[in-house]
Amino acid sequence: MSGLAVYAAGGVVWRLVDGKLRVLLIHRTKYRDITLPKGKVDPGEMLAETAVREIHEETGIRTVLGPPLGVSHYKLPSGREKIVHYWSAEATEAAIRESSFVPNDEIAAIEWVGLKKAHARLSYPVDIEILEHFERLVDDGVLHTFPVVALRHGKAVPRDEWDGRDALRPLLPRGKEQAKAIVGGLRAFGVRRIVSSDAVRCVKTVVPLSKAIGRRIDETELISQDAWEDGAADVRQVVGRRIRSGKPAVLCSHGPVLPEILTELALATGTMRGSYLADAAALEFGAFSVVHVSATNPGSGIVAIETHAPKI
């Protein structure tokens, strides 16, 4: 009997060997098939977090995620629908050296192959379709990317229930839970730099991430709501620095400021503006949009945008 859909996540894991592109296929023991690494979502896990964990569990390789590659849908023998989200995921030489993979009851072998051979070897059409999405990144020359993440702070004490300065409004218990719940999702994209509005509700939202990755929080009023309402914000300066750095970063700010952050990300990368920017900026509390930018040609436009929200 069919029931609720089963969600899973995985990736096309890739590396360059002597300048030649190779992707990673897994040979499953039980099913005697060849697929892309993937697995089911654990309770409370964000999809991106699942992808990184499952890739590591199945291949022994720790990766961070690049642009999304689409979603596959298929029916399980039980009649339930399985929905699998995929990302591009680079395997660095250091990560490969540290791989702990040994053949086991689930995975008999892992194999690095070229794209043509991957097409021939993969057992399922849905995997080949995902591989074709990956090939479009290759053809477009945007395999190497870095993310700039726009994050809305967690749920805070409402303004009309707070007597002090607005910037001092604390997170509610739900907001604190959201701050914890997004750590795995943000780490999945390799975030290393944390920039936050200096408002307490923003800073506290990224404290769990800061502790998890051992990086300090760069607090600034330039993307704060107070400065934005006073006309004193400078979103362009903050965004420009992040694009110039080419390093994975998160910008934690406020609902009213997020549209300007997304607009400046588009302008800084020479991207045509459109309604997709408004969609990416319309975030729930604790949600974030990941803007993928070409590492080699950041002015060539945004490669992809995706939005995630904690299950809190």
Side-chain angles (χ1 to χ4, degrees):
M1 189 172 79
S2 62
L4 294 174
V6 175
Y7 285 90
V12 175
V13 181
W14 63 274
R15 67 192 285 202
L16 292 175
V17 181
D18 297 326
K20 294 180 179 178
L21 181 64
R22 296 288 182 265
V23 295
L24 188 61
L25 306 183
I26 61 169
H27 296 243
R28 296 197 297 181
T29 309
K30 178 180 176 182
Y31 300 102
R32 295 183 178 274
D33 58 9
I34 300 176
T35 70
L36 301 171
K38 66 179 183 300
K40 288 187 286 189
V41 176
D42 280 348
E45 214 173 31
M46 302 185 86
L47 283 164
E49 188 177 1
T50 302
V52 168
R53 176 182 57 75
E54 283 290 342
I55 289 168
H56 179 248
E57 288 180 2
E58 293 194 341
T59 71
I61 299 170
R62 294 192 183 277
T63 59
V64 295
L65 304 181
L69 297 176
V71 184
S72 68
H73 301 252
Y74 54 93
K75 288 285 186 184
L76 294 169
S78 65
R80 296 172 75 183
E81 183 182 23
K82 189 164 187 179
I83 301 172
V84 190
H85 291 248
Y86 287 94
W87 283 266
S88 167
E90 181 181 7
T92 64
E93 290 307 311
I96 292 166
R97 283 196 300 272
E98 293 169 6
S99 171
S100 55
F101 175 80
V102 291
N104 55 69
D105 291 344
E106 186 182 357
I107 310 298
I110 59 176
E111 181 182 20
W112 290 100
V113 299
L115 291 173
K116 188 174 180 180
K117 191 170 284 188
H119 271 272
R121 297 261 179 116
L122 284 167
S123 300
Y124 305 108
V126 288
D127 284 355
I128 292 172
E129 189 177 334
I130 295 300
L131 187 66
E132 288 170 347
H133 288 304
F134 174 76
E135 287 176 288
R136 290 192 196 110
L137 291 180
V138 178
D139 293 342
D140 291 342
V142 287
L143 202 49
H144 295 278
T145 61
F146 69 94
V148 178
V149 182
L151 166 66
R152 188 178 185 187
H153 63 76
K155 181 73 172 171
V157 172
R159 190 179 265 193
D160 58 6
E161 295 177 18
W162 180 252
D163 293 331
R165 282 179 51 220
D166 184 66
L168 300 179
R169 275 195 287 138
L171 293 177
L172 288 169
R174 183 171 179 230
K176 293 176 182 177
E177 289 302 312
Q178 289 167 334
K180 293 175 186 174
I182 60 177
V183 170
L186 291 167
R187 292 188 76 175
F189 294 101
V191 167
R192 303 299 294 161
R193 183 69 183 266
I194 307 170
V195 182
S196 173
S197 156
D198 57 2
V200 167
R201 58 192 182 276
C202 286
V203 175
K204 293 299 183 183
T205 297
V206 289
V207 162
L209 174 66
S210 172
K211 290 179 178 177
I213 66 174
R215 293 294 179 108
R216 68 178 180 83
I217 301 166
D218 181 5
E219 299 178 32
T220 176
E221 65 176 9
L222 298 179
I223 55 172
S224 73
Q225 187 165 338
D226 283 352
W228 182 82
E229 289 176 352
D230 293 340
D234 195 345
V235 174
R236 175 163 292 181
Q237 181 186 146
V238 174
V239 168
R241 281 180 185 166
R242 301 282 50 87
I243 296 298
R244 287 193 298 275
S245 79
K247 301 290 175 60
V250 59
L251 309 179
C252 185
S253 189
H254 311 259
V257 188
L258 289 167
E260 192 167 338
I261 289 175
L262 269 297
T263 296
E264 289 299 337
L265 281 166
L267 289 170
T269 54
T271 309
M272 295 285 287
R273 285 186 278 177
S275 59
Y276 70 94
L277 290 175
D279 293 340
L283 297 174
E284 305 167 23
F285 292 112
F288 57 87
S289 286
V290 184
V291 178
H292 297 275
V293 180
S294 168
T296 49
N297 300 95
S300 62
I302 291 169
V303 175
I305 298 181
E306 55 183 302
T307 297
H308 300 266
K311 298 175 181 178
I312 299 292

